[in-house]
DNA sequence: CCCGACGGTATCGGCCTGCGATACGCTCGA
DNA sequence: TCGAGCGTATCGCAGGCCGATACCGTCGGG
């Protein structure tokens, strides 16, 4: 995913890393897990798993449940800290609310992180029952509208590097997995100022997205507007909503 | 806050606990922090803070920012794991969406945790711009509608214990801080099946809440409906929305 | 019925890892 | 020109963590 910058291993705390490796087990296996399962999935022995889990339960980051252990409520506190401290989130909330009212479709703010995007704010549309539309969801950048919008602000070489580090696996039968094809879409987004993705993460879904930059002009996030092909044609959706996405993203940039 | 169950200290990993102590520093000091500040706030020396922060940056749980370090995006992934695994959240999402449509006011699902409640799902009303209405926010149980609704399902003795462990500090000039007065409100909630709190956490705000139980009948969460006194009288708000809160909470219980 | 596999729990000696004192170069503002 | 911060880097000692091992339940199958 994102290895940040090769950390000096002399200052690396193995026990801390193993504790987080334990917490991360549930992202691949979302159910109550036993000590043995945790140990195997995290690549540690049962003794270490025992010590780590006891500690994490004591701290509230894991909870005992019928059938084993599950993530604890403390995880929500840490996420809240992140959302509260990040100025972009605070600025984006009212902008997205307005956008949602104007457009009537689902609008999202996603954060650009390495080879992925991460939904931070999501305002569902009235008609769509939100299921699995929770903040914190992470998707690959290469096949999402927000990801491509962000890539559009990078050089072709940087886009190539990102794509080469990505796991280019198709999520639907329409997902583009050829790096050259993705790059072509990124170039189109660069020219238009927004990206449009059709059914590449969810069949029947059309999404336009515009990039949000930091003060140095680097892409850090994207504003998405998502609709369904049951109600819109691609051309009509682009024409109608792309300008709004761009305007909102601009308001949040810099 | 919630010490769960006194953990065997022979199996307690000090280095892991210190790493989380570092992460938790930002909940009291929501801004970019330097190593020295982190060390002082977490009660460790600068060397330990250096090693822990290097490790957490490498793992993505902290990020470098102008002026110091801030929480990292990985926190959102862990919160997502929690929300995805907890069956109550999944069941609650469509119920709250319907409730939001029916009532037109802000509706929340809060989780009952020790002496506090924790907002897990929040659907803002159309007219209110949401600011600081993020999931993950934690409030004391004693002065919130959801907290009192949950306490109503406990024995008086258990409520007393909870109140004695709580920090009974007023949030507004209307907050009840006398344990006996709070207990009286809890008894009222026990009789009525829901709690109503007026301006005790936010001036001008009225909230009704009903408790959600697990299969053993223990309170685990609450459904809130919140409005403003600019639009509603207490009596009218209770009459109109309490039945909906109770119905939704019942649907999620057991 | 007894066994083996699995659950969680507990113990312990030894080694390696994390500890914390210390020092360095840098950028501020006084 | 300081001194107080900042982040960074080093290093020997000590003791905290490691992981093998064992224990006691509860299953379900042979």
């Amino acid at each position: 995913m994102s290895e940040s910058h090769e950390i000096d291993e002399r200052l690396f705390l193995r026990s801390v890393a193993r504790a987080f490796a334990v917490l991360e087990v549930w992202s691949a296996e979302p159910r109550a897990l036993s000590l043995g399962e945790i140990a195997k999935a995290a690549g540690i022995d049962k003794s270490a798993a025992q010590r780590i889990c006891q500690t994490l339960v004591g701290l509230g980051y894991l909870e005992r449940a019928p059938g084993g252990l599950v993530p604890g409520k403390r995880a929500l506190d840490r996420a809240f800290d992140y959302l509260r401290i990040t100025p972009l989130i605070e600025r984006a909330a009212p902008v997205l609310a307005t956008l949602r009212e104007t457009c009537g479709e689902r609008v999202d703010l996603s954060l650009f992180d390495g080879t992925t995007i991460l939904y931070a704010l999501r305002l569902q549309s009235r008609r769509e029952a939100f299921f699995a539309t929770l903040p914190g969801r992470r998707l690959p950048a290469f096949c999402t509208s927000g990801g491509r919008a962000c890539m559009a602000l990078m050089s072709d070489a940087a886009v190539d590097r990102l794509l080469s580090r990505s796991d280019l696996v198709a999520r639907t039968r329409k997902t583009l997995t050829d790096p050259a094809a993705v790059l072509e879409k990124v170039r189109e987004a660069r020219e238009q100022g927004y990206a449009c993705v059709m059914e590449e993460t969810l069949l029947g879904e059309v999404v336009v997205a515009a990039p949000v930059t930091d003060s140095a002009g680097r892409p850090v996030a994207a504003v998405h507007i998502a609709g369904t092909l049951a109600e819109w044609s691609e051309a009509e959706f682009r024409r109608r909503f792309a300008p709004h996405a761009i305007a909102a993203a601009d308001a949040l940039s810099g």
Side-chain angles (χ1 to χ4, degrees), chain A:
Chain A
M1 220 158 276
S2 66
E3 74 284 19
S4 294
H5 293 286
E6 201 60 44
I7 290 298
D8 185 340
E9 66 178 37
R10 281 167 303 186
L11 295 175
F12 194 78
L13 301 188
R14 197 166 62 111
S15 56
V16 172
R18 300 211 292 178
F20 283 97
V22 165
L23 282 181
E24 288 164 7
V25 160
W26 280 271
S27 84
E29 207 68 47
R31 57 186 177 84
L33 297 175
S34 72
L35 268 185
E37 291 172 317
I38 294 165
K40 190 160 60 167
I44 60 183
D45 64 34
K46 206 173 121 180
S47 292
Q50 180 191 12
R51 283 190 297 272
I52 293 169
C53 290
Q54 289 265 5
T55 304
L56 293 175
V57 167
L59 296 173
Y61 291 95
L62 288 182
E63 289 174 10
R64 298 179 197 284
L69 293 167
V70 293
K73 298 182 187 67
R74 276 295 155 86
L76 298 182
D77 295 65
R78 302 288 74 78
F80 179 65
D81 290 343
Y82 176 85
L83 294 171
R84 184 169 56 146
I85 288 181
T86 307
L88 175 59
I89 304 293
E90 198 172 307
R91 295 209 315 275
V95 172
L96 288 221
T98 305
L99 189 63
R100 159 75 182 65
E101 281 308 305
T102 308
C103 299
E105 301 292 323
R106 194 190 81 216
V107 303
D108 303 304
L109 181 77
S110 69
L111 304 173
F112 187 40
D113 185 31
T115 64
T116 64
I117 65 167
L118 183 58
Y119 289 99
L121 294 175
R122 173 160 279 200
L123 281 66
Q124 80 283 4
S125 77
R126 207 155 313 144
R127 41 191 173 286
E128 136 185 286
F130 70 82
F131 171 66
T133 65
L134 296 166
R137 184 167 180 78
R138 209 180 266 273
L139 290 173
F142 82 92
C143 64
T144 54
S145 174
R148 289 193 194 152
C150 289
M151 285 192 270
L153 297 185
M154 298 161 49
S155 68
D156 278 7
V159 172
D160 278 337
R161 278 197 301 277
L162 191 153
L163 292 177
S164 71
R165 284 188 290 129
S166 298
D167 186 19
L168 300 171
V169 55
R171 301 186 67 86
T172 74
R173 59 191 162 72
K174 304 250 188 162
T175 308
L176 298 179
T177 56
D178 174 31
V182 174
L183 181 57
E184 192 46 50
K185 288 284 183 187
V186 170
R187 286 202 176 113
E188 181 203 303
R190 195 178 292 149
E191 231 166 85
Q192 295 178 134
Y194 74 93
C196 181
V197 164
M198 307 284 296
E199 306 190 90
E200 291 193 43
T201 55
L202 199 62
L203 288 174
E205 188 188 55
V206 50
V207 187
V208 295
V212 176
T213 66
D214 63 13
S215 55
R218 284 181 300 253
V220 293
V223 173
H224 303 229
I225 305 176
T228 164
L229 290 175
E231 299 175 358
W232 301 97
S233 70
E234 172 178 358
E236 180 66 7
F237 197 84
R238 293 172 89 118
R239 190 188 65 72
R240 182 137 173 189
F241 296 118
H244 287 115
I246 293 172
D250 274 2
L252 297 174
S253 293

